[in-house]
Amino acid sequence: MRTIGLIGGLSWESTVIYYQIINQRVRERLGGSHSANSLIWSVDYTTVEDLIFAGRWGEVGELLAGAGARLEAMGAELLLVCSNTFSRVNDEVERAASVPVLHIADAVGAEVSARGMRKVGLLGTRFTMEESFYSDRLAGHGFEVVVPGRDERELVHRVIFDELVRGVLSPSSRDAFVRTIAGLAARGAEAVILGCTEIELLITDKDTAIPLLPSARLHAEAAAAFALVR
């Protein structure tokens, strides 16, 4: 079994999902009391949050690339940046590593393609929804990506940073996300990507009329599959 290196704390609320899902999939595959060989480097989220709002992405790339290098030095054979927003610096982490770095958008894109979907919605931070680093990566898998209107984007962005990364799960925010997803469905989206790992703490398929694609879970499952193949 390969050792998985998780660059987490982005935020730790969703890093928990990665650890749980990876270990669950390994136990399901191997049985008994098996669990994954894994390492976690959890950064102080306030540090990186301050950097991204100041537009200092170069420093974010250096910080996360350094985390990846430390994990590799400790024996990681695969690295994951446990975030959609921070996958903006995935290339920097990859350049500093000599082991594979599994991109979260590729894990999501593979699932969309496997389901044969041609048009999906995307929720995430303003960075993820409005910049091209994420949607372009998804588009490489052969489907169209649509995002909410400006007011809805602002609401989703605010809820993520003011509530979800702090562990706050508000029923009113859940209702607002349900309405936003319904709007994307009305525009032809066959499913909606939860393109911020914390969103899946707030909302599930039970809340919506169309499928949700939880990015953290898909990323974690792809990591577990990679770790189990030699």
Side-chain angles (χ1 to χ4, degrees), residues 64-169:
L64 298 191
R70 292 180 180 91
L71 288 168
E72 186 176 347
M74 290 187 285
E77 298 168 88
L78 169 70
L79 298 176
L80 283 75
V81 177
C82 300
S83 168
N84 294 276
T85 297
F86 290 92
S87 71
R88 192 180 193 272
V89 299
N90 202 89
D91 289 350
E92 286 87 333
V93 176
E94 195 167 24
R95 281 194 292 269
S98 59
V99 298
V101 181
L102 180 59
H103 200 297
I104 191 169
D106 289 337
V108 174
E111 178 69 12
V112 175
S113 296
R115 296 192 188 194
M117 295 175 175
R118 306 302 301 168
K119 185 176 185 179
V120 298
L122 172 64
L123 298 183
T125 66
R126 187 188 306 127
F127 306 104
T128 303
M129 292 187 289
E130 296 181 358
E131 297 184 29
S132 63
F133 69 91
Y134 195 82
S135 58
D136 284 355
R137 188 91 180 198
L138 290 173
H141 290 267
F143 54 86
E144 182 183 355
V145 178
V146 293
V147 298
R150 184 180 63 184
D151 290 347
E152 290 85 359
R153 294 199 303 271
E154 289 298 321
L155 179 144
V156 170
H157 181 85
R158 178 188 59 76
V159 168
I160 290 168
F161 284 105
D162 291 352
E163 299 178 17
L164 300 185
V165 300
R166 302 177 184 184
V168 176
L169 304 177

Side-chain angles (χ1 to χ4, degrees), residues 212-225:
L212 302 179
L213 299 165
S215 57
R217 292 175 183 272
L218 293 171
H219 202 197
E221 288 173 353

Side-chain angles (χ1 to χ4, degrees), residues 160-182:
I160 290 168
F161 284 105
D162 291 352
E163 299 178 17
L164 300 185
V165 300
R166 302 177 184 184
V168 176
L169 304 177
S170 163
S172 62
S173 294
R174 181 179 295 109
D175 292 343
F177 275 50
V178 168
R179 290 193 297 272
T180 300
I181 289 167

Side-chain angles (χ1 to χ4, degrees), residues 55-67:
R56 293 158 62 183
W57 284 99
E59 293 174 58
V60 174
E62 292 176 6
L63 192 155
L64 298 191

Side-chain angles (χ1 to χ4, degrees), residues 192-216:
V192 170
I193 297 166
L194 303 185
C196 172
T197 53
E198 285 80 18
I199 295 176
E200 54 206 84
L201 299 168
L202 179 68
I203 193 167
T204 71
D205 277 322
K206 296 177 182 178
D207 302 307
T208 62
I210 61 172
L212 302 179
L213 299 165
S215 57

